[in-house]
Amino acid sequence: MARKRTPTKDANNHNREGKANSLEPTTKPSSSKDNVKQQPKPWLKTSHLTLVTIFITFITGLVCYSVYPELTSLTSIKRKPMPSLRKIVDSNQNNDILQRDISQEGLRNVFQPDKVSEIVSIFGQAPNLYRASDEDVAKLRAKFLELKTRKEEEGESDNSSQDVKNSNTVDLEPKRHKSLQSISESLKSSQIKGDIPEHDSGVDKLNHGLNRPKSNSESVETPSSKDSESLSDNSLSKNQDIDIRPHTVDSKGTKNMEVLKSTSAEKKIINSQENAPQRKGESKKKGPIILSAENPHMSLDFNDIQSESATQKELKHPNKEKLDTKQIKKKEIKSSTSRKNSEEVLTNQKMKGLKLSETTKENAEKKTDEQRNSVKQKQSSKGSSKSHVGSGPSETEFTASFQRTFVPKKTFYGGRRIAPVELLNQKPSNSSVKVYLFDDFLSQQECEGLMRVHNHHIKANTKPPILCFDSLNTLRKHIRDAGKRVKVTSQIFTEGTSCVNESFSLQLQSWLNSNWSYSTAFYPGESKFSTNVAGRLQQAMGLKPENGGKFQITSYPLGKAYKTHTDCTLGGVDKRDRVVSVLMYLNDAEDGGETRFPDLGIWVKPRRGRAIVWNNMSPSGGCEPHSRHTASIVKKGKKYILIRWYYYQSFLGLGQRPTPPYLPERDEHQAKVSCDDYDNGSCRWYDEWTYEHLLEYPNNKLNIS
Ligand SMILES: O=C(O)CCC(=O)C(=O)O
Ligand SMILES: [Fe+2]
């Protein structure tokens, strides 16, 4: 290194050494005096200089290549379509934290915990797959082959070979770690109680009917040719990221197990889009990667949010002077469009009919769908489009088309490079869901500010919340589990709602010990933060700011979770569907709290500032069942997240949902607690925000019509 920094001196040193060696090949060193006197032969000097120059060029080349591997176009290797462990980005090498985080945590994110230990047991140490050398890859491959061969020799009849330790078999399916047994069990129970049942006919049908994305849809939108900063390259070249595909190993051998190499994972990420349909009119671009040096990390002013949040009233009703409280309340009752709320709340008819056997959220969603469809039918039979508040395109006008909703790009902010990491499916499936991970997407200051604001909002809701249930059964289960022997009938619900009255809500609050997660929301344009983050997401993923909805902060106290669900509505196509979800972790949950995609075998650990982004839609524009995910139980500490959903079109143009939930009148400082399927994630407290709040927000800084 010293040589590199001071080439002149090094050259001199070389000359000196070279001369001493060539002239005096004995052990006796020549004195410096001798050296000064002795003149090097000119041919010797030239050759040494040439050598040094070659050396420096080589080193410079190496450095350049490792920093910007995409600049060097090496041998193309034909890409195989089947993805595997992960594709990962060559992120900022100078950032130790990012590197450490990616190599250690990222590994755990991608593999199930015991998969990591399996690999550790193969390598004898935690392999840094992020920067694994050819040798490491070869080692993994060789070991894998060895184990596989051994297994075959020992006879595959031994079913107990499931036990990795006993059989030394590399289990290709992700498994759960022992230490996470309790999570696993709880999740199992959530699977039974609250999850989409594995054999749920609707889901099943969709699962089986779901094929790999097809390419021929006329309605498919082609990526904009303007999208020049998107990374696109079909070639994979020598410097490697790893793509080992054990699940492609056939029963006879391992010839299908591939180790792919790439100049950078970003390329791979884009390459992975080759797995997506080749869209009509879409030309596969090849070309230079344009790195944007722009710094979107504008100064963030949390005082902005804080000062707003200091007066909850103002924050909740920014246009307060124009609306008197009663008006607002009325509107709230009629038009709250908090999606989860609306999906979880049954209508009056449902409550009265007490056809409560379908207790899953998905079923509730299906019901909501049915209602929606019947509304649609009514609308179309009348031949008119329903005019919702904020009237967007009418229901009948909407045709979902697969949109290139996100394009991962390199981003710079705060002088750092944030690179997307694609987390690959660990389970063979025909899922079209792609999950991308960004570390340090939010700064510490942002995370802390958001948590502060969130806590402040909760405290500002001085009145006890109103409790609502998706079914009478759910309410009964809660009462039973609280150890109370109280009989309740449907009469307990406030007329026309699925919520209980104020005094019983208070009673329940103490029985349930306020055992719920908390969600508060704010809307785009209401703080510098929302504008900044919307811009950052646009830059990082190409997400249109105007298509993003509210920003929802959720905190999970110890022991809380959120059941397996999809963010979109299964079984239909709706313009209000959440096309893309962006989940940002505001803190490190000390233990537990992982976001789990059961169909993909992907777990993501909460880490402060980390963001994950995934699509919920299949290429046909419908809700992709494989996008279902779970917030695992928080086993230690507390978990805070910020979530934002992106829609097909401008959020403001969507209009309110056709079937708004029926909610009782509530005070301004009164949140709603919504309990559905009985589970650890059964109840969630919502700081009530409505669609009107957004529309009435006077200075819509995003200026969306
Ligand atoms: O907390 C998580 O990990 C997931 C949350 C989530 O999926 C949601 O709020 O929709
Ligand atoms: Fe979700």
Side-chain angles (χ1 to χ4, degrees):
M1 290 305 285
R3 220 180 265 168
K4 199 181 149 205
R5 266 188 247 117
T6 55
T8 316
K9 192 179 162 210
D10 287 340
N12 289 341
N13 285 343
H14 258 125
N15 286 341
R16 258 202 316 270
E17 285 157 19
K19 189 173 178 189
N21 288 338
S22 60
L23 294 178
E24 293 180 351
T26 62
T27 52
K28 187 189 167 204
S30 61
S31 72
S32 59
K33 211 180 162 190
D34 290 342
N35 283 336
V36 170
K37 280 178 193 166
Q38 289 164 349
Q39 292 301 313
K41 291 181 180 171
W43 64 267
L44 190 64
K45 193 175 179 182
T46 312
S47 103
H48 275 219
L49 275 174
T50 310
L51 277 175
V52 169
T53 313
I54 291 169
F55 179 75
I56 290 171
T57 314
F58 178 69
I59 294 293
T60 315
L62 265 184
V63 169
C64 276
Y65 180 70
S66 56
V67 175
Y68 296 116
E70 60 277 8
L71 293 179
T72 46
S73 171
L74 298 178
T75 334
S76 285
I77 299 171
K78 201 170 185 310
R79 183 186 166 74
K80 297 283 185 346
M82 194 67 177
S84 183
L85 301 182
R86 80 191 297 198
K87 290 168 185 172
I88 197 159
V89 176
D90 171 28
S91 47
N92 187 351
Q93 295 182 27
N94 299 323
N95 187 327
D96 284 337
I97 292 172
L98 191 62
Q99 225 174 318
R100 227 180 9 252
D101 199 19
I102 290 283
S103 59
Q104 292 173 9
E105 297 303 335
L107 186 67
R108 285 178 194 280
N109 288 333
V110 178
F111 301 116
Q112 301 290 13
D114 68 339
K115 192 79 183 168
V116 174
S117 53
E118 272 174 21
I119 291 166
V120 168
S121 77
I122 289 172
F123 283 115
Q125 58 174 25
N128 184 346
L129 289 180
Y130 170 52
R131 296 216 167 280
S133 65
D134 281 332
E135 206 186 338
D136 286 334
V137 179
K139 222 169 163 184
L140 174 64
R141 195 164 185 264
K143 188 75 185 176
F144 182 84
L145 289 172
E146 184 195 317
L147 293 172
K148 185 167 174 61
T149 316
R150 197 185 306 166
K151 186 190 163 197
E152 279 171 2
E153 281 169 8
E154 284 168 2
E156 282 178 287
S157 57
D158 181 11
N159 287 336
S160 67
S161 65
Q162 294 280 355
D163 184 338
V164 175
K165 276 189 184 150
N166 293 342
S167 69
N168 238 358
T169 302
V170 177
D171 187 351
L172 302 179
E173 278 298 305
K175 287 194 295 185
R176 295 185 183 108
H177 196 262
K178 266 194 175 166
S179 67
L180 291 175
Q181 198 66 37
S182 56
I183 293 186
S184 147
E185 258 148 39
S186 314
L187 290 172
K188 232 184 200 168
S189 75
S190 101
Q191 197 83 10
I192 296 159
K193 290 169 183 163
D195 223 332
I196 301 167
E198 294 293 341
H199 49 272
D200 176 286
S201 56
V203 175
D204 236 7
K205 208 166 71 193
L206 280 164
N207 274 340
H208 294 137
L210 205 79
N211 290 321
R212 242 3 241 141
K214 286 187 181 127
S215 59
N216 52 1
S217 168
E218 287 291 332
S219 59
V220 156
E221 281 199 10
T222 57
S224 160
S225 55
K226 280 182 286 176
D227 211 356
S228 58
E229 72 272 36
S230 69
L231 309 171
S232 184
D233 192 326
N234 298 325
S235 68
L236 296 170
S237 51
K238 271 184 180 167
N239 187 28
Q240 69 197 25
D241 287 306
I242 306 162
D243 187 348
I244 305 165
R245 293 170 290 160
H247 48 268
T248 68
V249 175
D250 60 33
S251 58
K252 286 184 183 156
T254 54
K255 61 176 178 247
N256 292 335
M257 191 175 80
E258 298 288 342
V259 177
L260 294 185
K261 296 171 178 183
S262 163
T263 49
S264 78
E266 277 138 326
K267 281 191 174 180
K268 282 199 162 189
I269 285 169
I270 298 310
N271 282 325
S272 75
Q273 299 197 352
E274 292 168 43
N275 291 340
Q278 172 83 36
R279 296 169 201 107
K280 216 172 184 182
E282 179 180 0
S283 60
K284 286 187 178 179
K285 272 179 287 175
K286 223 176 178 179
I289 290 159
I290 300 166
L291 300 176
S292 161
E294 198 186 316
N295 181 355
H297 191 55
M298 295 184 271
S299 72
L300 295 159
D301 188 357
F302 266 101
N303 295 330
D304 208 41
I305 297 182
Q306 232 176 348
S307 60
E308 281 177 315
S309 66
T311 46
Q312 169 77 358
K313 238 180 192 170
E314 279 161 27
L315 184 63
K316 282 183 97 173
H317 306 295
N319 202 15
K320 188 176 154 287
E321 48 299 347
K322 290 185 192 162
L323 292 167
D324 73 36
T325 318
K326 276 193 176 166
Q327 239 181 319
I328 292 166
K329 266 195 250 165
K330 260 189 178 172
K331 288 199 169 205
E332 275 186 2
I333 295 160
K334 281 187 184 163
S335 63
S336 169
T337 53
S338 163
R339 182 179 175 102
K340 278 189 177 152
N341 297 353
S342 69
E343 286 162 358
E344 289 155 6
V345 175
L346 294 181
T347 62
N348 183 27
Q349 274 179 335
K350 282 186 207 165
M351 294 313 300
K352 284 199 168 155
L354 287 178
K355 290 185 176 168
L356 302 167
S357 56
E358 308 92 343
T359 54
T360 66
K361 180 178 171 187
E362 286 68 31
N363 283 333
E365 282 176 347
K366 272 182 210 154
K367 287 256 174 190
T368 315
D369 271 355
E370 279 163 23
Q371 290 170 345
R372 195 161 52 207
N373 289 339
S374 77
V375 171
K376 270 188 204 176
Q377 275 165 14
K378 274 180 203 161
Q379 283 167 10
S380 49
S381 67
K382 278 182 198 161
S384 66
S385 66
K386 189 173 176 180
S387 66
H388 297 305
V389 183
S391 57
S394 72
E395 293 293 300
T396 43
E397 283 165 26
F398 179 70
T399 319
S401 61
F402 181 54
Q403 302 183 8
R404 193 159 166 168
T405 37
F406 55 30
V407 183
K409 302 168 186 176
K410 287 179 197 170
T411 311
F412 280 90
Y413 82 82
R416 277 185 312 102
R417 178 163 163 251
I418 312 182
V421 173
E422 184 184 359
L423 304 181
L424 293 189
N425 298 359
Q426 297 301 295
K427 286 184 175 176
S429 82
N430 50 9
S431 158
S432 61
V433 179
K434 288 186 180 299
V435 186
Y436 293 95
L437 179 145
F438 295 83
D439 268 320
D440 298 325
F441 192 81
L442 297 181
S443 70
Q444 177 175 352
Q445 187 201 6
E446 288 170 319
C447 293
E448 285 171 358
L450 289 166
M451 291 194 287
R452 218 169 36 234
V453 167
H454 175 71
N455 293 336
H456 183 88
H457 280 197
I458 295 168
K459 277 201 194 119
N461 275 267
T462 46
K463 284 205 94 179
I466 294 287
L467 270 71
C468 309
F469 298 83
D470 71 332
S471 72
L472 186 58
N473 276 347
T474 301
L475 171 59
R476 284 177 175 154
K477 279 182 193 168
H478 275 286
I479 294 173
R480 210 168 41 238
D481 271 37
K484 306 294 167 194
R485 306 189 77 190
V486 177
K487 266 199 158 182
V488 285
T489 66
S490 59
Q491 303 304 316
I492 197 77
F493 294 109
T494 304
E495 175 84 32
T497 78
S498 61
C499 309
V500 302
N501 67 25
E502 221 169 294
S503 65
F504 195 52
S505 282
L506 194 62
Q507 178 65 80
L508 281 171
Q509 179 169 4
S510 78
W511 287 352
L512 269 59
N513 204 12
S514 299
N515 196 13
W516 42 68
S517 53
Y518 294 82
S519 284
T520 60
F522 57 98
Y523 277 105
E526 289 180 347
S527 65
K528 282 180 189 167
F529 171 82
S530 56
T531 311
N532 283 348
V533 169
R536 203 176 302 163
L537 280 163
Q538 181 174 33
Q539 194 162 29
M541 291 301 291
L543 292 165
K544 291 182 186 166
E546 67 272 22
N547 289 9
K550 64 184 175 183
F551 291 80
Q552 184 173 292
I553 309 173
T554 300
S555 59
Y556 301 84
L558 181 71
K560 289 287 97 194
Y562 197 72
K563 65 175 187 169
T564 307
H565 64 282
T566 53
D567 284 351
C568 44
T569 307
L570 284 166
V573 172
D574 191 285
K575 68 177 179 180
R576 290 170 200 83
D577 262 328
R578 295 154 169 176
V579 180
V580 172
S581 300
V582 179
L583 195 167
M584 293 158 268
Y585 302 94
L586 304 181
N587 73 334
D588 302 355
E590 282 180 67
D591 192 7
E594 299 90 355
T595 307
R596 202 174 58 102
F597 292 82
D599 294 341
L600 311 179
I602 291 174
W603 292 31
V604 180
K605 269 192 165 195
R607 282 283 169 266
R608 186 182 68 206
R610 172 174 286 173
I612 53 170
V613 184
W614 71 90
N615 60 299
N616 296 306
M617 296 300 154
S618 70
S620 64
C623 182
E624 160 71 275
H626 295 300
S627 67
R628 67 194 190 126
H629 52 282
T630 317
S632 314
I633 298 168
V634 175
K635 293 177 77 187
K636 195 173 174 196
K638 212 172 164 182
K639 172 184 165 191
Y640 286 83
I641 58 161
L642 169 68
I643 206 159
R644 190 181 196 208
W645 295 285
Y646 281 78
Y647 300 82
Y648 280 113
Q649 50 194 239
S650 162
F651 180 67
L652 279 170
L654 292 174
Q656 74 174 80
R657 292 176 73 79
T659 49
Y662 293 85
L663 299 170
E665 277 207 31
R666 279 169 300 132
D667 272 6
E668 227 177 294
H669 291 293
Q670 196 163 28
K672 184 190 93 166
V673 171
S674 204
C675 301
D676 55 10
D677 269 348
Y678 194 71
D679 192 8
N680 290 294
S682 178
C683 298
R684 189 172 273 186
W685 180 103
Y686 289 96
D687 184 8
E688 194 66 15
W689 277 74
T690 72
Y691 189 76
E692 269 66 24
H693 292 150
L694 174 63
L695 294 179
E696 286 152 6
Y697 185 66
N699 305 311
N700 184 345
K701 289 169 193 158
L702 293 175
N703 203 20
I704 303 157
S705 57

